[in-house]
Amino acid sequence: MATTACFIIVSRNDIPIYEAEVGVAAKREDAAQLHQFILHAALDVVQDLAWTTSAMYLKSVDRFNELVVSVYVTAGHTRFMLLHDSRNDDGIKSFFQEVHELYIKTLLNPLYLPGSRITSSHFDTKVRALARKYL
Amino acid sequence: MAPVAPRSGDAIFANIERVNAELFTLTYGAIVRQLLTDLEEVEEVNKQLDQMGYNIGIRLIDEFLAKSNVSRCVDFRETAEVIAKVGFKMFLGVTASVTNWDAEGTCCSIVLEDNPLVDFVELPDNCQGLYYCNILSGVIRGALDMVSMKAEVTWLRDALRGDDVFELQVKLLKQVPEEYPYKDDE
């Protein structure tokens, strides 16, 4: 399990629709803002990279000190962004793939408006469980 | 001799035209979604779904009787069994069970463990009062209405609200006697 990890889903309109701090490290107060800042800065890189490859998993696209940003872009251009300090590439890939499946299930829910915040507690629980399993 | 009523709808289900389950589920989802946008009030949506179900039910009963070959039910118990075993199988592809009879035999529960309407669905916080499958209660009410039974159908348990199954309570209010359309001496 990674000591620090922050997972964010960004909609195609660049709006964050889901956020989870999934690390085991003791929370510093400014950590959340710092993580959001790094991920936000990485969005530009993602935009360029996304069209250069047909793969959904873009691997690590950006780094900040010891923190690495890994990104997965779905076909609908929703971006899953993970900020982490571990070097577990396979685990991260599996994590993204399984979250993608969860995300599709959420999208298929007729009562969920695509591009709106994911408030489902079921989704949250599942994502955190996946994070424990793979990261 | 009257034809023997089928005890399950499997045979009929195998023979009628079917659509893809996901198409069906998502189409129903789109209807509910649109109703929520148009009517805004969850209560109104419940009413509208029930009314839509009723309108389906009063037509569907004819198709049901034409294709299923069930004969006249002797009592309400048999009616409920036929709805659960044959009706649900024929139109939804699932079977339901009938339980919780009261002493007079006028009130029972139809329990659905599997419901194709609710695949993928999760109720968000702002729709907590919504009976997502309210169309089903309307269908049953409408269908019974056409065979001279006034019934009241309410949801007792809803898996979308955290229960383990779907349970519909069907309460027979009165049986309307069939009237001869003309007087005998005319």
Side-chain angles (χ1 to χ4, degrees), chain A residues 105-106 108-113 119-123, chain B residues 26 29-30 32-33 36 120-124 130 132:
Chain A
K105 286 233 175 71
T106 314
L108 282 173
N109 180 356
L111 300 177
Y112 169 77
L113 210 63
T119 50
S120 156
S121 59
H122 175 74
F123 182 82
Chain B
L26 291 176
V32 178
R33 163 93 252 164
L36 278 167
F120 321 122
V121 179
E122 199 177 326
L123 286 187
L130 179 70
Y132 187 80

mmCIF file with all atom_site columns, all heavy atoms in Angstrom, chain A residues 105-106 108-113 119-123, chain B residues 26 29-30 32-33 36 120-124 130 132:
data_model
loop_
_atom_site.group_PDB
_atom_site.id
_atom_site.type_symbol
_atom_site.label_atom_id
_atom_site.label_alt_id
_atom_site.label_comp_id
_atom_site.label_asym_id
_atom_site.label_entity_id
_atom_site.label_seq_id
_atom_site.pdbx_PDB_ins_code
_atom_site.Cartn_x
_atom_site.Cartn_y
_atom_site.Cartn_z
_atom_site.occupancy
_atom_site.B_iso_or_equiv
_atom_site.pdbx_formal_charge
_atom_site.auth_seq_id
_atom_site.auth_comp_id
_atom_site.auth_asym_id
_atom_site.auth_atom_id
_atom_site.pdbx_PDB_model_num
ATOM 1   N N   . LYS A 1 105 ? -20.164 1.362  -14.953 1.00 0.00 ? 105 LYS A N   1
ATOM 2   C CA  . LYS A 1 105 ? -21.407 1.001  -14.247 1.00 0.00 ? 105 LYS A CA  1
ATOM 3   C C   . LYS A 1 105 ? -22.129 2.254  -13.773 1.00 0.00 ? 105 LYS A C   1
ATOM 4   O O   . LYS A 1 105 ? -23.347 2.358  -13.855 1.00 0.00 ? 105 LYS A O   1
ATOM 5   C CB  . LYS A 1 105 ? -21.075 0.114  -13.046 1.00 0.00 ? 105 LYS A CB  1
ATOM 6   C CG  . LYS A 1 105 ? -20.698 -1.299 -13.426 1.00 0.00 ? 105 LYS A CG  1
ATOM 7   C CD  . LYS A 1 105 ? -21.560 -2.303 -12.648 1.00 0.00 ? 105 LYS A CD  1
ATOM 8   C CE  . LYS A 1 105 ? -21.282 -3.716 -13.122 1.00 0.00 ? 105 LYS A CE  1
ATOM 9   N NZ  . LYS A 1 105 ? -19.958 -4.198 -12.693 1.00 0.00 ? 105 LYS A NZ  1
ATOM 10  N N   . THR A 1 106 ? -21.361 3.206  -13.264 1.00 0.00 ? 106 THR A N   1
ATOM 11  C CA  . THR A 1 106 ? -21.962 4.451  -12.799 1.00 0.00 ? 106 THR A CA  1
ATOM 12  C C   . THR A 1 106 ? -22.599 5.202  -13.958 1.00 0.00 ? 106 THR A C   1
ATOM 13  O O   . THR A 1 106 ? -23.696 5.746  -13.839 1.00 0.00 ? 106 THR A O   1
ATOM 14  C CB  . THR A 1 106 ? -20.896 5.342  -12.148 1.00 0.00 ? 106 THR A CB  1
ATOM 15  O OG1 . THR A 1 106 ? -20.122 4.554  -11.271 1.00 0.00 ? 106 THR A OG1 1
ATOM 16  C CG2 . THR A 1 106 ? -21.512 6.490  -11.392 1.00 0.00 ? 106 THR A CG2 1
ATOM 17  N N   . LEU A 1 108 ? -23.850 3.993  -16.610 1.00 0.00 ? 108 LEU A N   1
ATOM 18  C CA  . LEU A 1 108 ? -25.040 3.305  -17.098 1.00 0.00 ? 108 LEU A CA  1
ATOM 19  C C   . LEU A 1 108 ? -26.246 3.558  -16.203 1.00 0.00 ? 108 LEU A C   1
ATOM 20  O O   . LEU A 1 108 ? -27.371 3.276  -16.581 1.00 0.00 ? 108 LEU A O   1
ATOM 21  C CB  . LEU A 1 108 ? -24.774 1.800  -17.190 1.00 0.00 ? 108 LEU A CB  1
ATOM 22  C CG  . LEU A 1 108 ? -23.961 1.341  -18.399 1.00 0.00 ? 108 LEU A CG  1
ATOM 23  C CD1 . LEU A 1 108 ? -23.626 -0.120 -18.281 1.00 0.00 ? 108 LEU A CD1 1
ATOM 24  C CD2 . LEU A 1 108 ? -24.706 1.608  -19.680 1.00 0.00 ? 108 LEU A CD2 1
ATOM 25  N N   . ASN A 1 109 ? -25.990 4.073  -15.020 1.00 0.00 ? 109 ASN A N   1
ATOM 26  C CA  . ASN A 1 109 ? -27.107 4.392  -14.130 1.00 0.00 ? 109 ASN A CA  1
ATOM 27  C C   . ASN A 1 109 ? -27.902 5.541  -14.735 1.00 0.00 ? 109 ASN A C   1
ATOM 28  O O   . ASN A 1 109 ? -27.378 6.621  -14.913 1.00 0.00 ? 109 ASN A O   1
ATOM 29  C CB  . ASN A 1 109 ? -26.540 4.795  -12.762 1.00 0.00 ? 109 ASN A CB  1
ATOM 30  C CG  . ASN A 1 109 ? -27.634 5.145  -11.775 1.00 0.00 ? 109 ASN A CG  1
ATOM 31  O OD1 . ASN A 1 109 ? -28.808 5.167  -12.123 1.00 0.00 ? 109 ASN A OD1 1
ATOM 32  N ND2 . ASN A 1 109 ? -27.250 5.418  -10.560 1.00 0.00 ? 109 ASN A ND2 1
ATOM 33  N N   . PRO A 1 110 ? -29.166 5.303  -15.066 1.00 0.00 ? 110 PRO A N   1
ATOM 34  C CA  . PRO A 1 110 ? -29.942 6.343  -15.736 1.00 0.00 ? 110 PRO A CA  1
ATOM 35  C C   . PRO A 1 110 ? -30.118 7.590  -14.868 1.00 0.00 ? 110 PRO A C   1
ATOM 36  O O   . PRO A 1 110 ? -30.416 8.658  -15.382 1.00 0.00 ? 110 PRO A O   1
ATOM 37  C CB  . PRO A 1 110 ? -31.294 5.693  -15.999 1.00 0.00 ? 110 PRO A CB  1
ATOM 38  C CG  . PRO A 1 110 ? -31.217 4.315  -15.503 1.00 0.00 ? 110 PRO A CG  1
ATOM 39  C CD  . PRO A 1 110 ? -29.926 4.083  -14.823 1.00 0.00 ? 110 PRO A CD  1
ATOM 40  N N   . LEU A 1 111 ? -29.967 7.431  -13.568 1.00 0.00 ? 111 LEU A N   1
ATOM 41  C CA  . LEU A 1 111 ? -30.197 8.587  -12.701 1.00 0.00 ? 111 LEU A CA  1
ATOM 42  C C   . LEU A 1 111 ? -28.921 9.399  -12.498 1.00 0.00 ? 111 LEU A C   1
ATOM 43  O O   . LEU A 1 111 ? -28.929 10.406 -11.799 1.00 0.00 ? 111 LEU A O   1
ATOM 44  C CB  . LEU A 1 111 ? -30.750 8.136  -11.346 1.00 0.00 ? 111 LEU A CB  1
ATOM 45  C CG  . LEU A 1 111 ? -32.076 7.394  -11.436 1.00 0.00 ? 111 LEU A CG  1
ATOM 46  C CD1 . LEU A 1 111 ? -32.508 6.916  -10.073 1.00 0.00 ? 111 LEU A CD1 1
ATOM 47  C CD2 . LEU A 1 111 ? -33.152 8.274  -12.026 1.00 0.00 ? 111 LEU A CD2 1
ATOM 48  N N   . TYR A 1 112 ? -27.828 8.957  -13.098 1.00 0.00 ? 112 TYR A N   1
ATOM 49  C CA  . TYR A 1 112 ? -26.585 9.719  -13.003 1.00 0.00 ? 112 TYR A CA  1
ATOM 50  C C   . TYR A 1 112 ? -26.417 10.545 -14.274 1.00 0.00 ? 112 TYR A C   1
ATOM 51  O O   . TYR A 1 112 ? -26.542 10.029 -15.376 1.00 0.00 ? 112 TYR A O   1
ATOM 52  C CB  . TYR A 1 112 ? -25.394 8.776  -12.823 1.00 0.00 ? 112 TYR A CB  1
ATOM 53  C CG  . TYR A 1 112 ? -24.053 9.463  -12.976 1.00 0.00 ? 112 TYR A CG  1
ATOM 54  C CD1 . TYR A 1 112 ? -23.549 10.244 -11.948 1.00 0.00 ? 112 TYR A CD1 1
ATOM 55  C CD2 . TYR A 1 112 ? -23.308 9.364  -14.145 1.00 0.00 ? 112 TYR A CD2 1
ATOM 56  C CE1 . TYR A 1 112 ? -22.340 10.902 -12.081 1.00 0.00 ? 112 TYR A CE1 1
ATOM 57  C CE2 . TYR A 1 112 ? -22.103 10.010 -14.289 1.00 0.00 ? 112 TYR A CE2 1
ATOM 58  C CZ  . TYR A 1 112 ? -21.617 10.779 -13.251 1.00 0.00 ? 112 TYR A CZ  1
ATOM 59  O OH  . TYR A 1 112 ? -20.427 11.439 -13.390 1.00 0.00 ? 112 TYR A OH  1
ATOM 60  N N   . LEU A 1 113 ? -26.173 11.830 -14.103 1.00 0.00 ? 113 LEU A N   1
ATOM 61  C CA  . LEU A 1 113 ? -25.986 12.711 -15.248 1.00 0.00 ? 113 LEU A CA  1
ATOM 62  C C   . LEU A 1 113 ? -24.505 12.719 -15.613 1.00 0.00 ? 113 LEU A C   1
ATOM 63  O O   . LEU A 1 113 ? -23.689 13.106 -14.783 1.00 0.00 ? 113 LEU A O   1
ATOM 64  C CB  . LEU A 1 113 ? -26.439 14.112 -14.855 1.00 0.00 ? 113 LEU A CB  1
ATOM 65  C CG  . LEU A 1 113 ? -27.006 14.990 -15.960 1.00 0.00 ? 113 LEU A CG  1
ATOM 66  C CD1 . LEU A 1 113 ? -28.270 14.371 -16.521 1.00 0.00 ? 113 LEU A CD1 1
ATOM 67  C CD2 . LEU A 1 113 ? -27.277 16.365 -15.399 1.00 0.00 ? 113 LEU A CD2 1
ATOM 68  N N   . THR A 1 119 ? -21.489 10.938 -6.482  1.00 0.00 ? 119 THR A N   1
ATOM 69  C CA  . THR A 1 119 ? -21.725 11.021 -5.041  1.00 0.00 ? 119 THR A CA  1
ATOM 70  C C   . THR A 1 119 ? -22.001 9.652  -4.430  1.00 0.00 ? 119 THR A C   1
ATOM 71  O O   . THR A 1 119 ? -22.116 9.533  -3.224  1.00 0.00 ? 119 THR A O   1
ATOM 72  C CB  . THR A 1 119 ? -22.922 11.937 -4.746  1.00 0.00 ? 119 THR A CB  1
ATOM 73  O OG1 . THR A 1 119 ? -24.005 11.516 -5.566  1.00 0.00 ? 119 THR A OG1 1
ATOM 74  C CG2 . THR A 1 119 ? -22.593 13.386 -5.042  1.00 0.00 ? 119 THR A CG2 1
ATOM 75  N N   . SER A 1 120 ? -22.107 8.629  -5.306  1.00 0.00 ? 120 SER A N   1
ATOM 76  C CA  . SER A 1 120 ? -22.472 7.304  -4.822  1.00 0.00 ? 120 SER A CA  1
ATOM 77  C C   . SER A 1 120 ? -21.480 6.776  -3.786  1.00 0.00 ? 120 SER A C   1
ATOM 78  O O   . SER A 1 120 ? -20.271 6.736  -4.027  1.00 0.00 ? 120 SER A O   1
ATOM 79  C CB  . SER A 1 120 ? -22.540 6.358  -6.013  1.00 0.00 ? 120 SER A CB  1
ATOM 80  O OG  . SER A 1 120 ? -22.350 5.036  -5.595  1.00 0.00 ? 120 SER A OG  1
ATOM 81  N N   . SER A 1 121 ? -21.996 6.380  -2.640  1.00 0.00 ? 121 SER A N   1
ATOM 82  C CA  . SER A 1 121 ? -21.113 5.871  -1.592  1.00 0.00 ? 121 SER A CA  1
ATOM 83  C C   . SER A 1 121 ? -20.600 4.482  -1.951  1.00 0.00 ? 121 SER A C   1
ATOM 84  O O   . SER A 1 121 ? -19.514 4.078  -1.558  1.00 0.00 ? 121 SER A O   1
ATOM 85  C CB  . SER A 1 121 ? -21.852 5.824  -0.263  1.00 0.00 ? 121 SER A CB  1
ATOM 86  O OG  . SER A 1 121 ? -22.972 4.999  -0.386  1.00 0.00 ? 121 SER A OG  1
ATOM 87  N N   . HIS A 1 122 ? -21.411 3.762  -2.735  1.00 0.00 ? 122 HIS A N   1
ATOM 88  C CA  . HIS A 1 122 ? -21.015 2.438  -3.207  1.00 0.00 ? 122 HIS A CA  1
ATOM 89  C C   . HIS A 1 122 ? -19.740 2.551  -4.049  1.00 0.00 ? 122 HIS A C   1
ATOM 90  O O   . HIS A 1 122 ? -18.777 1.798  -3.858  1.00 0.00 ? 122 HIS A O   1
ATOM 91  C CB  . HIS A 1 122 ? -22.152 1.856  -4.039  1.00 0.00 ? 122 HIS A CB  1
ATOM 92  C CG  . HIS A 1 122 ? -21.836 0.554  -4.683  1.00 0.00 ? 122 HIS A CG  1
ATOM 93  N ND1 . HIS A 1 122 ? -21.766 -0.618 -3.985  1.00 0.00 ? 122 HIS A ND1 1
ATOM 94  C CD2 . HIS A 1 122 ? -21.537 0.247  -5.963  1.00 0.00 ? 122 HIS A CD2 1
ATOM 95  C CE1 . HIS A 1 122 ? -21.456 -1.586 -4.813  1.00 0.00 ? 122 HIS A CE1 1
ATOM 96  N NE2 . HIS A 1 122 ? -21.305 -1.088 -6.018  1.00 0.00 ? 122 HIS A NE2 1
ATOM 97  N N   . PHE A 1 123 ? -19.723 3.502  -4.960  1.00 0.00 ? 123 PHE A N   1
ATOM 98  C CA  . PHE A 1 123 ? -18.566 3.746  -5.815  1.00 0.00 ? 123 PHE A CA  1
ATOM 99  C C   . PHE A 1 123 ? -17.348 4.084  -4.963  1.00 0.00 ? 123 PHE A C   1
ATOM 100 O O   . PHE A 1 123 ? -16.257 3.535  -5.152  1.00 0.00 ? 123 PHE A O   1
ATOM 101 C CB  . PHE A 1 123 ? -18.887 4.898  -6.779  1.00 0.00 ? 123 PHE A CB  1
ATOM 102 C CG  . PHE A 1 123 ? -17.791 5.216  -7.757  1.00 0.00 ? 123 PHE A CG  1
ATOM 103 C CD1 . PHE A 1 123 ? -17.648 4.474  -8.912  1.00 0.00 ? 123 PHE A CD1 1
ATOM 104 C CD2 . PHE A 1 123 ? -16.911 6.257  -7.517  1.00 0.00 ? 123 PHE A CD2 1
ATOM 105 C CE1 . PHE A 1 123 ? -16.639 4.764  -9.818  1.00 0.00 ? 123 PHE A CE1 1
ATOM 106 C CE2 . PHE A 1 123 ? -15.900 6.557  -8.413  1.00 0.00 ? 123 PHE A CE2 1
ATOM 107 C CZ  . PHE A 1 123 ? -15.762 5.807  -9.567  1.00 0.00 ? 123 PHE A CZ  1
ATOM 108 N N   . LEU B 2 26  ? -32.134 0.275  -20.231 1.00 0.00 ? 26  LEU B N   1
ATOM 109 C CA  . LEU B 2 26  ? -31.720 1.662  -20.439 1.00 0.00 ? 26  LEU B CA  1
ATOM 110 C C   . LEU B 2 26  ? -32.857 2.507  -21.000 1.00 0.00 ? 26  LEU B C   1
ATOM 111 O O   . LEU B 2 26  ? -32.956 3.699  -20.692 1.00 0.00 ? 26  LEU B O   1
ATOM 112 C CB  . LEU B 2 26  ? -30.505 1.714  -21.370 1.00 0.00 ? 26  LEU B CB  1
ATOM 113 C CG  . LEU B 2 26  ? -29.227 1.140  -20.745 1.00 0.00 ? 26  LEU B CG  1
ATOM 114 C CD1 . LEU B 2 26  ? -28.096 1.125  -21.747 1.00 0.00 ? 26  LEU B CD1 1
ATOM 115 C CD2 . LEU B 2 26  ? -28.817 1.939  -19.521 1.00 0.00 ? 26  LEU B CD2 1
ATOM 116 N N   . GLY B 2 29  ? -34.863 3.340  -18.095 1.00 0.00 ? 29  GLY B N   1
ATOM 117 C CA  . GLY B 2 29  ? -34.114 4.342  -17.334 1.00 0.00 ? 29  GLY B CA  1
ATOM 118 C C   . GLY B 2 29  ? -34.254 5.719  -17.945 1.00 0.00 ? 29  GLY B C   1
ATOM 119 O O   . GLY B 2 29  ? -34.425 6.716  -17.244 1.00 0.00 ? 29  GLY B O   1
ATOM 120 N N   . ALA B 2 30  ? -34.200 5.784  -19.273 1.00 0.00 ? 30  ALA B N   1
ATOM 121 C CA  . ALA B 2 30  ? -34.319 7.072  -19.939 1.00 0.00 ? 30  ALA B CA  1
ATOM 122 C C   . ALA B 2 30  ? -35.690 7.684  -19.702 1.00 0.00 ? 30  ALA B C   1
ATOM 123 O O   . ALA B 2 30  ? -35.818 8.906  -19.520 1.00 0.00 ? 30  ALA B O   1
ATOM 124 C CB  . ALA B 2 30  ? -34.074 6.897  -21.437 1.00 0.00 ? 30  ALA B CB  1
ATOM 125 N N   . VAL B 2 32  ? -37.633 7.213  -17.048 1.00 0.00 ? 32  VAL B N   1
ATOM 126 C CA  . VAL B 2 32  ? -37.702 7.711  -15.671 1.00 0.00 ? 32  VAL B CA  1
ATOM 127 C C   . VAL B 2 32  ? -36.899 9.007  -15.540 1.00 0.00 ? 32  VAL B C   1
ATOM 128 O O   . VAL B 2 32  ? -37.343 9.986  -14.931 1.00 0.00 ? 32  VAL B O   1
ATOM 129 C CB  . VAL B 2 32  ? -37.174 6.652  -14.681 1.00 0.00 ? 32  VAL B CB  1
ATOM 130 C CG1 . VAL B 2 32  ? -37.203 7.189  -13.268 1.00 0.00 ? 32  VAL B CG1 1
ATOM 131 C CG2 . VAL B 2 32  ? -38.001 5.399  -14.760 1.00 0.00 ? 32  VAL B CG2 1
ATOM 132 N N   . ARG B 2 33  ? -35.730 9.003  -16.136 1.00 0.00 ? 33  ARG B N   1
ATOM 133 C CA  . ARG B 2 33  ? -34.862 10.187 -16.109 1.00 0.00 ? 33  ARG B CA  1
ATOM 134 C C   . ARG B 2 33  ? -35.609 11.404 -16.683 1.00 0.00 ? 33  ARG B C   1
ATOM 135 O O   . ARG B 2 33  ? -35.617 12.485 -16.113 1.00 0.00 ? 33  ARG B O   1
ATOM 136 C CB  . ARG B 2 33  ? -33.616 9.867  -16.929 1.00 0.00 ? 33  ARG B CB  1
ATOM 137 C CG  . ARG B 2 33  ? -32.763 10.969 -17.385 1.00 0.00 ? 33  ARG B CG  1
ATOM 138 C CD  . ARG B 2 33  ? -31.654 11.223 -16.416 1.00 0.00 ? 33  ARG B CD  1
ATOM 139 N NE  . ARG B 2 33  ? -31.912 12.466 -15.720 1.00 0.00 ? 33  ARG B NE  1
ATOM 140 C CZ  . ARG B 2 33  ? -31.316 12.839 -14.609 1.00 0.00 ? 33  ARG B CZ  1
ATOM 141 N NH1 . ARG B 2 33  ? -30.457 12.039 -14.027 1.00 0.00 ? 33  ARG B NH1 1
ATOM 142 N NH2 . ARG B 2 33  ? -31.579 13.985 -14.056 1.00 0.00 ? 33  ARG B NH2 1
ATOM 143 N N   . LEU B 2 36  ? -38.308 12.664 -14.425 1.00 0.00 ? 36  LEU B N   1
ATOM 144 C CA  . LEU B 2 36  ? -37.748 13.422 -13.303 1.00 0.00 ? 36  LEU B CA  1
ATOM 145 C C   . LEU B 2 36  ? -37.409 14.840 -13.744 1.00 0.00 ? 36  LEU B C   1
ATOM 146 O O   . LEU B 2 36  ? -37.618 15.800 -13.007 1.00 0.00 ? 36  LEU B O   1
ATOM 147 C CB  . LEU B 2 36  ? -36.489 12.738 -12.774 1.00 0.00 ? 36  LEU B CB  1
ATOM 148 C CG  . LEU B 2 36  ? -36.710 11.583 -11.814 1.00 0.00 ? 36  LEU B CG  1
ATOM 149 C CD1 . LEU B 2 36  ? -35.430 10.792 -11.620 1.00 0.00 ? 36  LEU B CD1 1
ATOM 150 C CD2 . LEU B 2 36  ? -37.182 12.110 -10.468 1.00 0.00 ? 36  LEU B CD2 1
ATOM 151 N N   . PHE B 2 120 ? -27.970 -1.685 -13.007 1.00 0.00 ? 120 PHE B N   1
ATOM 152 C CA  . PHE B 2 120 ? -27.169 -0.438 -13.032 1.00 0.00 ? 120 PHE B CA  1
ATOM 153 C C   . PHE B 2 120 ? -27.706 0.676  -12.147 1.00 0.00 ? 120 PHE B C   1
ATOM 154 O O   . PHE B 2 120 ? -27.017 1.662  -11.912 1.00 0.00 ? 120 PHE B O   1
ATOM 155 C CB  . PHE B 2 120 ? -27.035 0.182  -14.446 1.00 0.00 ? 120 PHE B CB  1
ATOM 156 C CG  . PHE B 2 120 ? -26.850 -0.786 -15.558 1.00 0.00 ? 120 PHE B CG  1
ATOM 157 C CD1 . PHE B 2 120 ? -27.730 -0.824 -16.620 1.00 0.00 ? 120 PHE B CD1 1
ATOM 158 C CD2 . PHE B 2 120 ? -25.784 -1.664 -15.542 1.00 0.00 ? 120 PHE B CD2 1
ATOM 159 C CE1 . PHE B 2 120 ? -27.566 -1.725 -17.659 1.00 0.00 ? 120 PHE B CE1 1
ATOM 160 C CE2 . PHE B 2 120 ? -25.607 -2.557 -16.577 1.00 0.00 ? 120 PHE B CE2 1
ATOM 161 C CZ  . PHE B 2 120 ? -26.494 -2.584 -17.634 1.00 0.00 ? 120 PHE B CZ  1
ATOM 162 N N   . VAL B 2 121 ? -28.960 0.581  -11.705 1.00 0.00 ? 121 VAL B N   1
ATOM 163 C CA  . VAL B 2 121 ? -29.555 1.755  -11.062 1.00 0.00 ? 121 VAL B CA  1
ATOM 164 C C   . VAL B 2 121 ? -29.131 1.891  -9.616  1.00 0.00 ? 121 VAL B C   1
ATOM 165 O O   . VAL B 2 121 ? -29.048 0.923  -8.876  1.00 0.00 ? 121 VAL B O   1
ATOM 166 C CB  . VAL B 2 121 ? -31.086 1.695  -11.132 1.00 0.00 ? 121 VAL B CB  1
ATOM 167 C CG1 . VAL B 2 121 ? -31.699 2.889  -10.436 1.00 0.00 ? 121 VAL B CG1 1
ATOM 168 C CG2 . VAL B 2 121 ? -31.526 1.656  -12.565 1.00 0.00 ? 121 VAL B CG2 1
ATOM 169 N N   . GLU B 2 122 ? -28.861 3.115  -9.229  1.00 0.00 ? 122 GLU B N   1
ATOM 170 C CA  . GLU B 2 122 ? -28.593 3.427  -7.842  1.00 0.00 ? 122 GLU B CA  1
ATOM 171 C C   . GLU B 2 122 ? -29.289 4.762  -7.575  1.00 0.00 ? 122 GLU B C   1
ATOM 172 O O   . GLU B 2 122 ? -29.117 5.696  -8.349  1.00 0.00 ? 122 GLU B O   1
ATOM 173 C CB  . GLU B 2 122 ? -27.086 3.555  -7.643  1.00 0.00 ? 122 GLU B CB  1
ATOM 174 C CG  . GLU B 2 122 ? -26.642 3.418  -6.218  1.00 0.00 ? 122 GLU B CG  1
ATOM 175 C CD  . GLU B 2 122 ? -25.125 3.483  -6.125  1.00 0.00 ? 122 GLU B CD  1
ATOM 176 O OE1 . GLU B 2 122 ? -24.452 3.004  -7.065  1.00 0.00 ? 122 GLU B OE1 1
ATOM 177 O OE2 . GLU B 2 122 ? -24.634 4.025  -5.156  1.00 0.00 ? 122 GLU B OE2 1
ATOM 178 N N   . LEU B 2 123 ? -30.083 4.827  -6.534  1.00 0.00 ? 123 LEU B N   1
ATOM 179 C CA  . LEU B 2 123 ? -30.829 6.061  -6.287  1.00 0.00 ? 123 LEU B CA  1
ATOM 180 C C   . LEU B 2 123 ? -29.917 7.131  -5.705  1.00 0.00 ? 123 LEU B C   1
ATOM 181 O O   . LEU B 2 123 ? -29.293 6.910  -4.677  1.00 0.00 ? 123 LEU B O   1
ATOM 182 C CB  . LEU B 2 123 ? -31.974 5.802  -5.298  1.00 0.00 ? 123 LEU B CB  1
ATOM 183 C CG  . LEU B 2 123 ? -33.204 5.050  -5.788  1.00 0.00 ? 123 LEU B CG  1
ATOM 184 C CD1 . LEU B 2 123 ? -34.264 5.051  -4.696  1.00 0.00 ? 123 LEU B CD1 1
ATOM 185 C CD2 . LEU B 2 123 ? -33.770 5.653  -7.050  1.00 0.00 ? 123 LEU B CD2 1
ATOM 186 N N   . PRO B 2 124 ? -29.811 8.284  -6.348  1.00 0.00 ? 124 PRO B N   1
ATOM 187 C CA  . PRO B 2 124 ? -29.045 9.367  -5.739  1.00 0.00 ? 124 PRO B CA  1
ATOM 188 C C   . PRO B 2 124 ? -29.825 10.007 -4.586  1.00 0.00 ? 124 PRO B C   1
ATOM 189 O O   . PRO B 2 124 ? -31.020 9.763  -4.440  1.00 0.00 ? 124 PRO B O   1
ATOM 190 C CB  . PRO B 2 124 ? -28.848 10.355 -6.881  1.00 0.00 ? 124 PRO B CB  1
ATOM 191 C CG  . PRO B 2 124 ? -29.924 10.063 -7.858  1.00 0.00 ? 124 PRO B CG  1
ATOM 192 C CD  . PRO B 2 124 ? -30.353 8.647  -7.661  1.00 0.00 ? 124 PRO B CD  1
ATOM 193 N N   . LEU B 2 130 ? -38.295 8.144  -4.608  1.00 0.00 ? 130 LEU B N   1
ATOM 194 C CA  . LEU B 2 130 ? -38.739 7.590  -5.887  1.00 0.00 ? 130 LEU B CA  1
ATOM 195 C C   . LEU B 2 130 ? -38.959 6.081  -5.803  1.00 0.00 ? 130 LEU B C   1
ATOM 196 O O   . LEU B 2 130 ? -38.125 5.355  -5.296  1.00 0.00 ? 130 LEU B O   1
ATOM 197 C CB  . LEU B 2 130 ? -37.683 7.890  -6.959  1.00 0.00 ? 130 LEU B CB  1
ATOM 198 C CG  . LEU B 2 130 ? -37.952 7.365  -8.364  1.00 0.00 ? 130 LEU B CG  1
ATOM 199 C CD1 . LEU B 2 130 ? -39.085 8.130  -9.009  1.00 0.00 ? 130 LEU B CD1 1
ATOM 200 C CD2 . LEU B 2 130 ? -36.716 7.477  -9.219  1.00 0.00 ? 130 LEU B CD2 1
ATOM 201 N N   . TYR B 2 132 ? -38.764 3.516  -8.161  1.00 0.00 ? 132 TYR B N   1
ATOM 202 C CA  . TYR B 2 132 ? -38.242 3.428  -9.513  1.00 0.00 ? 132 TYR B CA  1
ATOM 203 C C   . TYR B 2 132 ? -39.085 2.485  -10.379 1.00 0.00 ? 132 TYR B C   1
ATOM 204 O O   . TYR B 2 132 ? -39.280 2.726  -11.554 1.00 0.00 ? 132 TYR B O   1
ATOM 205 C CB  . TYR B 2 132 ? -36.786 2.956  -9.454  1.00 0.00 ? 132 TYR B CB  1
ATOM 206 C CG  . TYR B 2 132 ? -36.078 2.991  -10.770 1.00 0.00 ? 132 TYR B CG  1
ATOM 207 C CD1 . TYR B 2 132 ? -35.574 4.184  -11.265 1.00 0.00 ? 132 TYR B CD1 1
ATOM 208 C CD2 . TYR B 2 132 ? -35.922 1.835  -11.525 1.00 0.00 ? 132 TYR B CD2 1
ATOM 209 C CE1 . TYR B 2 132 ? -34.914 4.225  -12.480 1.00 0.00 ? 132 TYR B CE1 1
ATOM 210 C CE2 . TYR B 2 132 ? -35.267 1.872  -12.740 1.00 0.00 ? 132 TYR B CE2 1
ATOM 211 C CZ  . TYR B 2 132 ? -34.768 3.054  -13.207 1.00 0.00 ? 132 TYR B CZ  1
ATOM 212 O OH  . TYR B 2 132 ? -34.131 3.096  -14.406 1.00 0.00 ? 132 TYR B OH  1
#
